[in-house]
Amino acid sequence: MTDVRRLKTIYPFIKTSPIGDSVLERDIPEVLIGNGNKRVHYNGSFHANEWITTPVIMTFLNDYLLAITNQADIRGQDMFPFYQQTMLSIVPMVNPDGVELVLKGHWRRPGFTVELGKGTNPLPISQFDEIFQKSLGIFLAGLYM
């Protein structure tokens, strides 16, 4: 995800790594911020129609990192104590394939094409099961890491 790489360039103290890949082999990045023992996890775009959660999370993430870097507050709260006490885990987009399908109306995988509004489903139901199971597995693995 380009935005995550951009944040890593601007805020080199964050940790980023893929927690898995989508059915279409896109990286699913996780951002780790903080030094504390308390763990908090946020994720976005778990379901394709929830695509708006990704830009909301990315805006929050940038605001949080900016506040930490500039020793500023957010709504009157100093963010540095949160940074020291908490390890924040963020997966901005759990389901990049689904988001592409909703925003562009199609996605392609060698041997398969899915297009919305065509009245037919060219993928067998097992293919959709694979997408769901992979996304769910990545999400659950992130909770217990």
Side-chain angles (χ1 to χ4, degrees), residues 3 11 34 52-54 56 66 93 101 139:
D3 293 339
Y11 308 104
I52 194 69
T53 58
T54 295
V56 170
L66 194 60
M93 187 180 293
L101 178 61
F139 169 72

Side-chain angles (χ1 to χ4, degrees), residues 103-121:
L103 295 179
K104 295 183 178 177
H106 68 274
W107 62 255
R108 298 184 193 318
R109 175 181 175 181
F112 299 104
T113 300
V114 174
E115 294 189 34
L116 293 178
K118 297 296 181 187
T120 60
N121 178 2

Side-chain angles (χ1 to χ4, degrees), residues 11-145:
Y11 308 104
F13 60 92
I14 67 174
K15 297 178 184 106
T16 63
S17 63
I19 60 166
D21 59 345
S22 71
V23 172
L24 297 179
E25 300 177 356
R26 293 184 177 99
D27 280 346
I28 299 173
E30 176 185 36
V31 179
L32 294 173
I33 307 152
N35 294 321
N37 292 326
K38 186 187 307 182
R39 290 194 59 126
V40 176
H41 177 79
Y42 294 120
N43 65 66
S45 297
F46 195 92
H47 301 103
N49 283 327
E50 299 168 354
W51 63 267
I52 194 69
T53 58
T54 295
V56 170
I57 287 174
M58 293 301 288
T59 299
F60 160 75
L61 183 54
N62 187 63
D63 290 350
Y64 180 65
L65 292 167
L66 194 60
I68 291 167
T69 303
N70 294 325
Q71 299 175 356
D73 62 69
I74 295 178
R75 296 183 175 248
Q77 290 288 317
D78 183 11
M79 292 294 107
F80 195 69
F82 290 108
Y83 175 80
Q84 292 175 311
Q85 299 167 7
T86 307
M87 172 62 72
L88 184 58
S89 161
I90 298 179
V91 179
M93 187 180 293
V94 175
N95 184 3
D97 302 337
V99 169
E100 180 182 331
L101 178 61
V102 167
L103 295 179
K104 295 183 178 177
H106 68 274
W107 62 255
R108 298 184 193 318
R109 175 181 175 181
F112 299 104
T113 300
V114 174
E115 294 189 34
L116 293 178
K118 297 296 181 187
T120 60
N121 178 2
L123 288 181
I125 196 67
S126 63
Q127 187 69 32
F128 286 108
D129 286 346
E130 178 186 352
I131 294 167
F132 176 76
Q133 289 171 2
K134 195 165 199 176
S135 296
L136 181 61
I138 290 167
F139 169 72
L140 292 174
L143 288 177
Y144 297 101
M145 295 176 89

